[in-house]
Amino acid sequence: RAPARPAPAGMATPSAEAEELKAEGNRLYQRGKYAAAIDAYTLAVTAAPRWISPYVNRALCHRKLKRWEGVRDDCVKALEIDRENIKANYMLGLSLIFEKKHTEAATKLSKALENARASDATMQDEIWRELARAKYLEWELHAAARATRYQNAERKLRAACGVAGTATTSGGGIGGGGGGADYMDLTMEDADPFEAAWRDAKGAGGSRSGSERPSGSAPATPMADQLTRDDWPVVEELLAAARGRDDRREDPPDCFCCKLTFEVFRDPVVAPSGHSYERIAITTHLEKVGAFDPITREPLYANDLRPNISLRNAAHEWLNHHAWAYADIIKPDAPLE
């Protein structure tokens, strides 16, 4: 286990009175008397305002009572004293999930997980699962907004290309119209008055040539503002590529999945055989099944395992770009505890 981190410079040494009040709060907490424990921790905070422990413990009581606003407020105060505190960052992340501030929650939970790994804290898996929840819920929210944007864009692009969504006109295949190039102008009339004036002049057979523009206007590229039915296959490819990040049909690569859990790696370790396993899965195997490698059957002990940081980073990068896959690992709709 990593050595304990020294206390922050700004944290005060508690008085004997504050220590006793905190101890009373701990006794009440152990008996499930969370409201009474909050009162004891509040007195401890009053006696030692720069002591972090009563804030964190009081936040834990609020968490037990599902008072997420209280959790948030106490964790914010605790982090003003020690911004690296694992429990304060973790519980603040939980309260932000409750408030549906998923991006901020992921930031706090990532900080908690980073510090938990550095100190080899036992709550790493618990933190990781809530981080996965925050990232999944963040993806779910953004994916819904993206789907609406893509749908609106597709409708406009279909019209621009002369491609009907479900109907076909009688005269000319998809989108209707006769032979030849069926150009449709995408430029909004009110987007650039100089451009609109130029197009009106050209359409009316005015004196301006194709290379002239009204004085003061930006360079115009009329063809860039026009699509035809021949462009639709390319437009479809672009829309498919944009939607690909939210396509839940893609399976995680096998190299990113543990052979014991069949889930994407959270904290992989590598054995002398070269095979990698989820840390908690392989340590449970060694304790309950036997001291051997599950794949090679060679002798294996816990002190033979080494963190596979490169694999962890690669697997997490894949998850960050396919955040829907977090739902296969955690239960995003489960109640916050």
Side-chain angles (χ1 to χ4, degrees), residues 117 120-129 258-270 276-290 294 300 302 305-308 312 329:
R117 284 175 174 157
D120 197 24
T122 57
M123 59 188 303
Q124 294 177 45
D125 191 67
E126 180 183 351
I127 297 171
W128 193 94
R129 287 185 175 275
C258 174
K259 301 299 185 197
L260 299 179
T261 65
F262 304 104
E263 295 177 349
V264 177
F265 281 115
R266 303 191 292 277
D267 186 17
V269 291
V270 61
S276 290
Y277 304 99
E278 184 63 40
R279 182 189 294 274
I280 193 169
I282 187 63
T283 53
T284 300
H285 165 86
L286 296 177
E287 292 170 3
K288 296 185 176 181
V289 181
L300 178 65
L305 302 171
R306 297 291 181 270
N308 194 335
R312 184 184 74 195
I329 304 170

Side-chain angles (χ1 to χ4, degrees), residues 235-253:
V235 173
E236 278 191 306
E237 289 181 19
L238 293 172
L239 286 169
R243 287 170 166 147
R245 65 186 298 185
D246 298 325
D247 187 353
R248 301 184 67 155
R249 294 171 296 179
E250 182 180 353
D251 290 328

Side-chain angles (χ1 to χ4, degrees), residues 6 98 119 148 162 215 255 261 292 328:
F98 178 79
S119 61
T148 300
S215 175
C255 62
T261 65
F292 60 89
D328 296 333

